[in-house]
Amino acid sequence: MRRLRHWLGFLSFISPSRYIKRLDWYIIKKFIGTYIYSIVLIISISIIFDINENLAKFTQYHAPLKAIVFDYYANFVPYFANLFSPLFVFIAVIFFTTKMAGNSEIISILASGVSFKRLMRPYMISCVLISSLSFYLNAEVIPHGTVVRQNFETIYKNKRKNTSAENVMLQVGNGVIAYIQHYDNNMKKGYGFSLDKFENKKLVSHMTAMEIQYDTISDSKYHWTATNWKIRELRGLREHITQGAKKDTLIQMEPTDLVYSKGQQETFTSSELKDYISKQIDRGSGNVVQYQVEYHKRIASSFASFILTTIGVSLSSRKRKGGMGLYLGFGLALSFTYIMLQTVSSTFAINADTPPILAAWIPNIIFAVVAYFCYRKAPN
């Protein structure tokens, strides 16, 4: 019986009904409902403008309707909805909170003994739901859709991607340096290949190949086939040479390591980004900052809902003359400022040697200070 009482007490402690009351459900439903409504409204307008802009290209390149709907717009909607999620959160909070204040609902809630801190609870619960969904979409779902959307744009919008690289040199292992004179990403083939192995700063093996082909159907990664290859092994003062027409070999590099195209970091999931960054740092590559910024920005942007919601509630919870127009305009200005700061801070990291994690969090740090002062002033 004692154990049963213990479990019943624990279940009662973690039960949502203990923390989420009728007032909380009322505000959560208004928050989530207005948030979804604003997304549907603004994204619908964006789709109409995008169709109007790209209809001529879709017709020129004979894009099928199925590809337009499922490959392009089915991935266009979640990408831009998640990108401007902080804007939608702010608009939703300003819209329904101002309306509640105008109807004297906020005054009644506070007059009943509910503190402003307690009033914030349903807002924060809503932010947890929105931020969790936003982070999951950003980390796992949207990158796969971005690949499909970019492939569609390449074929049917004539948006060129970088598909080749010249004179690529990278470290593929401890003391192992690979070099490719020319690499074609469409064929996954490299020309003028060499692989040098060093031990104690001395060259011990030198491999060359006319061509090297990546095996895209292999079960294992890093599987390459070398054509017209030759290996020179240096054993003291002696040299041993082997050669052949074809050779299957494992080289720790992939096509994504050789060719960089604009926006490539957006096509990696967060786990893939983390692995890629770690691998590039081990190789001593300098082309890794934009990947680090993207990785940290996905985490930082999920916290924007909490910060902008605090500002929005603090500004719109008091009943004032003039309605919601002033607050809605102020909210839009703040949201666009936040999005602009994200872009500017990313540029600082890439071009001004700002630490990537700091660049990703600069907008949150600035707006968190604003949110703190707004929250302190709101109850007064």
Side-chain angles (χ1 to χ4, degrees), residues 61-345:
Y61 294 103
H62 307 288
L65 181 61
K66 183 178 178 181
I68 293 174
V69 174
F70 294 103
D71 292 349
Y72 184 65
Y73 284 110
N75 296 301
F76 172 94
V77 170
Y79 175 80
F80 283 97
N82 201 55
L83 178 65
F84 294 106
S85 181
L87 170 65
F88 300 137
V89 167
F90 207 109
I91 290 174
V93 170
I94 292 288
F95 187 84
F96 85 85
T97 305
T98 304
K99 194 171 182 180
M100 287 177 63
N103 295 334
S104 300
E105 293 179 70
I106 300 292
I107 296 175
S108 301
I109 292 170
L110 296 176
S112 67
V114 176
S115 65
F116 189 79
K117 181 180 179 180
R118 174 63 181 83
L119 178 64
M120 290 293 295
R121 181 189 293 177
Y123 288 93
M124 293 298 104
I125 293 173
S126 302
C127 287
V128 169
L129 298 175
I130 293 171
S131 297
S132 300
L133 177 62
S134 176
F135 178 75
Y136 175 73
L137 290 174
N138 230 344
E140 301 297 333
V141 178
I142 291 177
H144 297 295
T146 301
V147 175
V148 177
R149 180 171 56 85
Q150 288 182 354
N151 290 336
F152 176 92
E153 291 175 342
T154 302
I155 298 172
Y156 300 113
K157 291 179 67 177
N158 197 27
K159 195 172 183 180
R160 294 184 179 181
K161 292 175 64 177
N162 186 21
T163 59
S164 64
E166 304 289 338
N167 299 319
V168 180
M169 179 179 288
L170 69 159
Q171 183 174 314
V172 296
N174 188 17
V176 182
I177 307 297
Y179 171 79
I180 299 178
Q181 186 176 11
H182 174 77
Y183 177 76
D184 185 346
N185 196 48
N186 290 328
M187 301 177 64
K188 300 291 188 289
K189 181 182 289 189
Y191 303 89
F193 174 77
S194 69
L195 187 72
D196 295 327
K197 295 182 180 180
F198 294 87
E199 290 181 2
N200 298 323
K201 299 182 181 181
K202 292 183 179 181
L203 182 66
V204 296
S205 174
H206 175 70
M207 174 184 176
T208 59
M210 292 290 292
E211 298 178 0
I212 186 167
Q213 176 73 54
Y214 185 71
D215 191 346
T216 56
I217 61 174
S218 175
D219 294 333
S220 61
K221 295 196 301 182
Y222 313 131
H223 191 257
W224 296 82
T225 301
T227 304
N228 295 328
W229 58 274
K230 179 189 290 186
I231 298 178
R232 298 169 56 199
E233 294 181 88
L234 305 175
R235 302 171 181 175
L237 298 177
R238 296 184 179 182
E239 182 179 65
H240 179 69
I241 298 177
T242 55
Q243 57 186 349
K246 282 196 174 183
K247 179 182 178 65
D248 292 334
T249 183
L250 292 176
I251 305 171
Q252 292 185 15
M253 64 180 184
E254 297 178 272
T256 53
D257 301 328
L258 304 173
V259 177
Y260 172 76
S261 57
K262 186 178 180 181
Q264 180 176 309
Q265 65 273 18
E266 296 177 356
T267 64
F268 291 167
T269 64
S270 289
S271 56
E272 291 172 342
L273 261 179
K274 189 175 181 180
D275 293 340
Y276 182 85
I277 291 169
S278 177
K279 185 170 61 176
Q280 293 299 98
I281 290 175
D282 290 341
R283 290 174 174 172
S285 174
N287 187 28
V288 74
V289 176
Q290 55 265 43
Y291 295 90
Q292 291 175 315
V293 171
E294 176 68 20
Y295 179 79
H296 293 297
K297 189 167 70 174
R298 291 179 183 181
I299 301 172
S301 62
S302 62
F303 286 89
S305 298
F306 296 95
I307 297 171
L308 294 178
T309 295
T310 302
I311 297 174
V313 177
S314 301
L315 292 176
S316 58
S317 59
R318 184 176 292 273
K319 185 176 181 179
R320 294 183 176 90
K321 293 181 180 180
M324 71 177 70
L326 177 63
Y327 302 111
L328 198 58
F330 187 65
L332 286 171
L334 276 176
S335 300
F336 282 118
T337 303
Y338 178 85
I339 294 168
M340 183 190 71
L341 272 176
Q342 281 187 320
T343 305
V344 172
S345 61

